[in-house]
Amino acid sequence: MHRFLVAATGCLALVLGACGGSKNEGGGGGGSGGTDDPTCEIDLASYTVREGEGTASIRQIKGGADLVEGAASRGRVGDWLLENGKIRAVVQGVHKGFGADALGGKLVDVDIARPSGEGKDVLGAVSPLFNFGRTLAPKDEKSFTVVADGKDGKAVVLKVEGADALHPGVDLVRSVNGSFTGSAKLMVDPKAELGEDVTVTQYYILAPGAHRIRSVTAFCNAGEVTKVIPVGDLVEPGTIEDRFSPSGWGAAAERDDVPWIAFQGDDSAYALVPGDGKGPNLLVSTDGFIASVQGSNSLQPYTKPLDPQKAPKGAVVVPPEKSAIYERSIVVGTSISDVTEGIFAMRREQTGRVTGKVTGGYEGAGARVAVVDEGQIVTVFTADAEGRFDAIVPVGTYTLSASLPGLVSPAVEATISSENDANVTLELPAAGRFWVKMRAYDPRNVEAAPSIPGRVVVRCKNGPCPSREGEWLFRDMETVRYPADTVAYVGYTVGPPMVVDLPVGSYDYILSGGPEYESYPMSFASDGKGMPITVTAGQLTPPPPPPELGVPAQPAMGIVARIVNTKGWISTDLRARSNDSRGTQVSRLSRVQGLVGDGIELAISADTDRVTDLGPTAELLEANRWVRTVTGSEMAPTGLGRMTVFPLNADSTLPGNGAIAWTGADGLLLSPNALFESALGRDAKVILINNARGPGGLFTNLKLDTDTLATHADPGTLGMMQVDGASSDDTGLFSKNFHALEVMGSSDPAMFKTMMNDWLTFLSQGLVVTGTASSGANGRVNPSPGTPRTWVYVGDGKDTADKVEMDTFYQSLKAGRVVAGNGPFITVKASSGGNTVGPGEVLASNGALVRLDVTVQSPMWMKYNRIEVYSHKAGREAAGGMPNESWPIDSVATQADGSGARFEVDMTTTDGNEFEDFVDSEGLITQRQKKMINKSFTFQPEADTYYVVVVRTVTDTRDGLRVMEPVPADLAPLFFDGEKGVRPMAFANPVYIDVDGGGYNNFPAGR
């Protein structure tokens, strides 16, 4: 065993002494008795000094009272608690988790000290990362040693020993190499071990009075060759709503020269501060993680062989018989201003105080104040209920400005000194407040026009809204990205009225409740105009009546009709994601508001590698009558893709709150079939493959041929064992053991045809799986949750959130009794010889004609132009491990008369305009209008086949638009995703035709 001593002289230290060897003699805790693993010791003298008043302590967690609570809490019995009266932190024990904590010994929970039951941990996990994909893997409980217990009044120190291991939670090299142009690629192979002569040891340190956890990774080299090791960290952000660095918010925070990065959640925040906090550091986003590369602002040096004489800046260089360390701090607070104050303290910067008040706007409460120095944001803090602020800032001269959404004050210069407080007043532009509520006529509800959740779109009336570019200093503008530059705000009215502050000016607003609802005003469908409003400075719109009338103020009110009749069907989002999921910054509250506001009636939680229950949030919003929630999880095994499994029971004693483990006891990735069997063994009823042809999708990564179901991916490259029966022609990684395939998602509309090719090829060869559509939305409104969605037939009287029978839902979903898309809604009936069936069912034709009756319903604002029927067609197969992105020429099915099964819809005519009667709140009849197109197709199948109905919008002559044919008016972006050009599109699952009387078993691809 080798034991080295590393002098702690900074963020990167080198020891010039020779290496010796001995057993680990650290005492206490899980390290009692020591471990046989090599250890790399550090000199603790400079780490154990006090940073303030009080004491620090460390103990192994024995029960729930020791856990750090919060939405992102991952701590378990057997983990390690470090606390000092200021902050509390949990270091994971030997057990495995998901993501950044896929191997033990990682920092998984942090929070300020709070009363029991009030914890607000928002951290996912932070893992040391070296060689772009390796980390430390503790072997057992003896790998953990308390080397300083704090009883001497100094810091506590936890040492973690273990093996140098490939991190199974992320494939960083794939992401990085994909970002390079030309043939450039990283010359560092994370699959290669550092070598048996290199020892890695991890230390976690908490000093009395500190607001930070110090994390130190020590490397010792007993070999004869100098080692050059890129170092950094893998951050799984957790349940955050903002990410921030001096470069900006959101994606702008992830620059190539940042000194540190901070994350803000609900009254809780933390920052990763590499080294001395001065940078530069490079940040890479991948699969919802953020990976840091210490001390570098470019990855180009790593595209060349690593030369110890010309090592990339920030890399650890460890000569023979020498040692070195990499240090970083995780600073903990309640807000961005809290953690920046902690960063100023750790950098020992001289500071002063700035106070002041934000005025103007509708009111200054909650305004964010940014302190800027030559384009870099020093800190951001939030004004209180009276608009006042008080913050600590390094001495210097800065510009300060304030902002509320849509409002930015002029900048004011202030000089901060350590002797005197600076005081400034920041004046926001004038603003007023708009409030609105929605009611609806719903034939399923006996109550006449009750208040319902809805979506509110507020637009600037006189063209594009003023640029919000200046707001990048204050918030992540991606989270308020709206579907058009004329949109000022998108929100939801759930229970109480929706309230929004707006700059003074003229606007209009539109209300809707999803693709089943008409818009308010109804005239929007024809003229594209909303209801006009004028916002006045300091006033409520609509204004309250005069006090002498004694009439309470009332919000603006719009009544919409649930005009599309989906009787017997329930509207679902099979991938509802919140900030429990990597890469999503939408809180559970905002997600549930969006789901019910856009008319989703059943939502499946699909957070990445975590079982989440949205039920308590729905109950908090009193939205249970509108949406039923189901606990599930999205499996995201590294290098394989995304698969939703549901239902799953949450279990806080298991990693991921009970998510499905995707590695085996040997640490290798499970094969898809083993993953599916594991999910079914947990009583999951549905396995849904998502985004299969995306850059990291399952079919893409397996290199799947859909005609033979052969795969060409090397299991070793994917990090899994070779499966039985594999050959050079088929590595055998595909599994049929799933129920549904996401044919349509929100990520890329152009992917629809590729996924249709795969799905129809499966159907043609007898792999009958349900085609679905789901949002997987990471954003709040663009795309909105439920765009697209899946309707499942559950039976008359069972088609609402409070009445649906879940066993029937699961059975119908797996049976293909499904319509999917973002609207319109399709009804399909296939008949022959007196028999009639719908989607997912088999029709016995006995060689007779088959008639397909299609009814397409849509609100008047939804415009489309094609109804098409598809069946088996050669040319859809994917071969050579590559997706088939081409659509077969004349791809529609052929009718009995030889014509193609395609119908052109002209939305400019009154054809199909239907009126329905609704009862208003006074019992009076009111009429509302929808578009309902009925079309029949007739086929003469000679052998077993299937028919899939698709309704879509073609906009290009290459896609079938006739010359001079007008493209339908595009109103959908206000309700879908305008940036990606999403237009109305939907499909019904197949009706299967049995010609020979044996069922659907003479598959078209086999003939």
Side-chain angles (χ1 to χ4, degrees):
M1 164 176 286
H2 299 288
R3 181 175 179 176
F4 302 87
L5 187 66
V6 181
T9 58
C11 68
L12 189 62
L14 184 65
V15 176
L16 300 179
C19 300
S22 70
K23 288 272 188 177
N24 171 9
E25 299 171 355
S32 179
T35 173
D36 291 333
D37 287 328
T39 187
C40 190
E41 302 282 3
I42 67 172
D43 182 355
L44 295 175
S46 64
Y47 287 106
T48 56
V49 297
R50 302 170 61 86
E51 295 188 22
E53 298 298 318
T55 60
S57 65
I58 182 171
R59 61 184 178 275
Q60 195 165 20
I61 294 173
K62 304 298 184 184
D66 290 337
L67 297 175
V68 175
E69 302 157 313
S73 178
R74 297 188 180 187
R76 296 167 57 187
V77 170
D79 291 349
W80 294 88
L81 174 69
L82 292 73
E83 59 183 349
N84 65 358
K86 301 290 185 182
I87 66 172
R88 307 177 79 221
V90 173
V91 175
Q92 170 195 22
V94 72
H95 66 85
K96 297 178 180 179
F98 294 98
D101 61 339
L103 300 174
K106 308 303 182 280
L107 185 67
V108 292
D109 298 319
V110 295
D111 193 14
I112 64 168
R114 305 180 197 261
S116 178
E118 298 181 14
K120 293 190 175 183
D121 166 47
V122 297
L123 168 68
V126 178
S127 170
L129 198 70
F130 43 88
N131 273 9
F132 293 100
R134 302 193 71 78
T135 191
L136 187 73
K139 182 170 63 177
D140 52 34
E141 288 195 4
K142 292 183 178 181
S143 300
F144 298 80
T145 306
V146 176
V147 295
D149 59 14
K151 292 180 180 178
D152 58 359
K154 296 182 180 181
V156 297
V157 182
L158 178 67
K159 178 173 69 175
V160 185
E161 299 163 280
D164 152 40
L166 180 67
H167 200 305
V170 67
D171 187 353
L172 181 60
V173 169
R174 173 178 57 83
S175 299
V176 170
N177 286 343
S179 69
F180 289 138
T181 57
S183 60
K185 64 179 182 178
L186 293 176
M187 297 298 289
V188 180
D189 180 9
K191 292 184 172 63
E193 296 180 357
L194 291 179
E196 61 181 12
D197 293 327
V198 177
T199 300
V200 186
T201 304
Q202 177 66 29
Y203 297 84
Y204 295 99
I205 304 158
L206 178 62
H211 288 265
R212 61 170 172 156
I213 293 287
R214 300 175 79 175
S215 172
V216 180
T217 309
F219 300 89
C220 296
N221 182 10
E224 300 178 353
V225 177
T226 297
K227 298 289 184 177
V228 180
I229 307 171
V231 293
D233 291 278
L234 184 68
V235 181
E236 187 174 355
T239 55
I240 63 149
E241 298 174 23
D242 276 316
R243 58 198 194 278
F244 169 80
S245 78
S247 298
W249 297 82
E254 299 164 19
R255 295 279 295 278
D256 55 7
D257 56 357
V258 301
W260 45 265
I261 185 168
F263 303 88
Q264 175 74 62
D266 177 19
D267 193 32
S268 186
Y270 66 92
L272 172 68
V273 188
D276 59 7
K278 296 180 181 179
N281 303 287
L282 188 145
L283 300 176
V284 180
S285 289
T286 175
D287 296 328
F289 299 101
I290 295 176
S292 68
V293 181
Q294 145 77 11
S296 178
N297 60 6
S298 173
L299 291 173
Q300 288 299 321
Y302 294 104
T303 63
K304 303 173 183 177
L306 299 184
D307 182 352
Q309 303 301 318
K310 299 178 181 179
K313 184 179 180 182
V316 171
V317 180
V318 197
E321 299 295 320
K322 300 293 186 287
S323 313
I325 66 170
Y326 163 52
E327 178 187 347
R328 69 297 245 167
S329 295
I330 292 84
V331 182
V332 184
T334 61
S335 62
I336 296 296
S337 61
D338 238 12
V339 296
T340 53
E341 186 175 341
I343 293 169
F344 304 151
M346 67 166 280
R347 295 197 304 203
R348 300 180 181 178
E349 296 189 64
Q350 189 177 14
T351 58
R353 185 179 301 276
V354 59
T355 64
K357 185 173 183 179
V358 180
T359 62
Y362 185 78
E363 54 187 34
R368 286 184 173 179
V369 178
V371 179
V372 180
D373 180 22
E374 296 182 353
Q376 292 285 294
I377 310 172
V378 177
T379 187
V380 175
F381 39 87
T382 302
D384 64 17
E386 296 179 349
R388 301 186 183 280
F389 55 87
D390 184 339
I392 300 297
V393 179
V395 297
T397 300
Y398 306 98
T399 57
L400 279 73
S401 54
S403 175
L404 285 167
L407 305 170
V408 177
S409 76
V412 173
E413 187 175 280
T415 298
I416 314 296
S417 72
S418 57
E419 291 83 16
N420 299 300
D421 294 352
N423 186 272
V424 297
T425 298
L426 302 172
E427 180 75 21
L428 291 168
R433 176 165 291 175
F434 171 60
W435 60 328
V436 64
K437 199 165 185 177
M438 193 168 92
R439 295 165 58 197
Y441 301 127
D442 187 342
R444 304 172 304 172
N445 198 320
V446 295
E447 182 182 354
S451 295
I452 69 161
R455 179 182 177 97
V456 183
V457 179
V458 181
R459 302 186 302 180
C460 298
K461 194 174 181 182
N462 300 315
C465 298
S467 171
R468 300 184 65 177
E469 183 178 351
E471 292 184 59
W472 73 270
L473 294 173
F474 307 93
R475 59 189 55 87
D476 180 1
M477 293 307 293
E478 281 296 299
T479 64
V480 292
R481 180 174 55 89
Y482 296 137
D485 59 7
T486 57
V487 175
Y489 186 76
V490 177
Y492 298 98
T493 166
V494 180
M498 189 209 75
V499 178
V500 59
D501 293 348
L502 297 166
V504 169
S506 297
Y507 301 87
D508 69 6
Y509 68 93
I510 306 106
L511 306 180
S512 184
E516 300 93 344
Y517 288 84
E518 66 181 1
S519 61
Y520 175 85
M522 289 184 291
S523 57
F524 168 75
S526 57
D527 62 19
K529 297 179 180 179
M531 288 294 293
I533 56 170
T534 299
V535 174
T536 305
Q539 299 296 314
L540 193 64
T541 302
E548 58 269 21
L549 295 181
V551 178
Q554 293 289 334
M557 181 70 71
I559 302 179
V560 299
R562 197 176 195 280
I563 195 70
V564 173
N565 183 359
T566 60
K567 185 177 180 181
W569 299 76
I570 195 163
S571 174
T572 71
D573 191 337
L574 302 175
R575 292 180 70 195
R577 302 172 63 168
S578 67
N579 59 3
D580 293 273
S581 190
R582 295 194 299 269
T584 303
Q585 293 182 199
V586 181
S587 69
R588 295 185 192 181
L589 188 73
S590 292
R591 178 57 74 225
V592 173
Q593 287 176 329
L595 288 166
V596 296
D598 277 312
I600 291 296
E601 297 157 325
L602 195 153
I604 310 295
S605 296
D607 288 319
T608 306
D609 293 325
R610 190 164 184 84
V611 179
T612 306
D613 185 2
L614 293 174
T617 306
E619 185 175 353
L620 177 68
L621 290 169
E622 298 182 353
N624 306 69
R625 64 178 295 191
W626 306 112
V627 64
R628 175 77 172 265
T629 61
V630 175
T631 53
S633 177
E634 186 174 67
M635 297 189 295
T638 305
L640 274 191
R642 304 293 179 99
M643 294 143 276
T644 302
V645 293
F646 59 92
L648 284 178
N649 292 323
D651 187 342
S652 61
T653 67
L654 295 175
N657 204 30
I660 304 296
W662 35 262
T663 55
D666 56 6
L668 294 175
L669 194 65
L670 296 176
S671 69
N673 194 62
L675 278 172
F676 297 161
E677 288 182 350
S678 178
L680 295 173
R682 285 277 305 279
D683 295 326
K685 298 184 184 300
V686 179
I687 298 173
L688 164 66
I689 296 177
N690 304 318
N691 195 25
R693 287 296 185 185
L698 180 64
F699 296 172
T700 300
N701 288 331
L702 295 184
K703 299 182 180 179
L704 174 68
D705 292 350
T706 55
D707 56 344
T708 63
L709 302 184
T711 59
H712 303 285
D714 177 7
T717 302
L718 294 173
M720 67 176 70
M721 291 288 290
Q722 182 171 311
V723 300
D724 293 339
S727 68
S728 58
D729 296 324
D730 180 8
T731 53
L733 299 180
F734 183 74
S735 171
K736 298 180 180 181
N737 206 12
F738 65 99
H739 308 103
L741 177 67
E742 184 184 83
V743 176
M744 183 179 177
S746 65
S747 59
D748 185 358
M751 191 67 70
F752 176 71
K753 290 182 178 179
T754 300
M755 289 309 307
M756 283 289 286
N757 277 337
D758 284 348
W759 183 45
L760 297 184
T761 301
F762 288 161
L763 300 178
S764 292
Q765 57 187 334
L767 178 53
V768 176
V769 294
T770 300
T772 69
S774 47
S775 72
N778 288 326
R780 186 176 71 91
V781 298
N782 199 26
S784 62
T787 304
R789 66 191 63 201
T790 298
W791 289 273
V792 179
Y793 185 78
V794 291
D796 294 351
K798 306 294 183 181
D799 53 359
T800 57
D802 55 342
K803 295 178 181 177
V804 61
E805 295 177 351
M806 292 310 301
D807 283 343
T808 300
F809 171 80
Y810 298 133
Q811 291 167 8
S812 291
L813 177 59
K814 290 189 288 186
R817 305 191 73 185
V818 163
V819 173
N822 52 33
F825 183 72
I826 309 169
T827 303
V828 178
K829 294 295 181 184
S831 58
S832 181
N835 300 316
T836 302
V837 303
E841 297 177 321
V842 179
L843 175 68
S845 71
N846 299 317
L849 289 173
V850 172
R851 177 183 168 118
L852 216 61
D853 293 313
V854 179
T855 298
V856 182
Q857 298 178 74
S858 62
M860 298 301 290
W861 58 263
M862 185 179 289
K863 315 292 185 180
Y864 61 93
N865 59 10
R866 292 293 186 273
I867 301 173
E868 300 168 331
V869 182
Y870 296 95
S871 187
H872 171 70
K873 183 80 68 172
R876 292 198 175 100
E877 304 83 3
M882 300 297 292
N884 185 353
E885 300 175 351
S886 63
W887 198 236
I889 298 174
D890 297 327
S891 56
V892 295
T894 302
Q895 296 193 78
D897 63 3
S899 63
R902 174 180 287 121
F903 179 69
E904 297 180 6
V905 180
D906 186 352
M907 300 297 285
T908 63
T909 72
T910 59
D911 293 345
N913 290 5
E914 297 280 342
F915 290 90
E916 287 200 18
D917 293 338
F918 294 88
V919 180
D920 69 15
S921 57
E922 298 179 356
L924 301 176
I925 301 296
T926 184
Q927 281 194 330
R928 297 299 173 99
Q929 192 177 43
K930 67 179 175 183
K931 182 74 76 171
M932 187 163 73
I933 301 295
N934 294 295
K935 176 62 181 175
S936 296
F937 301 90
T938 303
F939 304 96
Q940 179 64 75
E942 297 179 355
D944 291 359
T945 191
Y946 59 86
Y947 298 111
V948 172
V949 176
V950 175
V951 177
R952 63 191 184 107
T953 311
V954 300
T955 60
D956 193 296
T957 54
R958 292 171 297 181
D959 196 28
L961 190 73
R962 289 184 294 101
V963 177
M964 303 302 291
E965 180 185 0
V967 176
D970 194 10
L971 302 176
L974 290 179
F975 306 106
F976 301 158
D977 187 340
E979 183 175 272
K980 293 180 179 175
V982 179
R983 287 175 176 262
M985 182 183 296
F987 63 93
N989 268 250
V991 289
Y992 299 97
I993 310 301
D994 170 21
V995 175
D996 56 18
Y1000 178 65
N1001 59 7
N1002 183 16
F1003 307 126
R1007 298 195 297 268

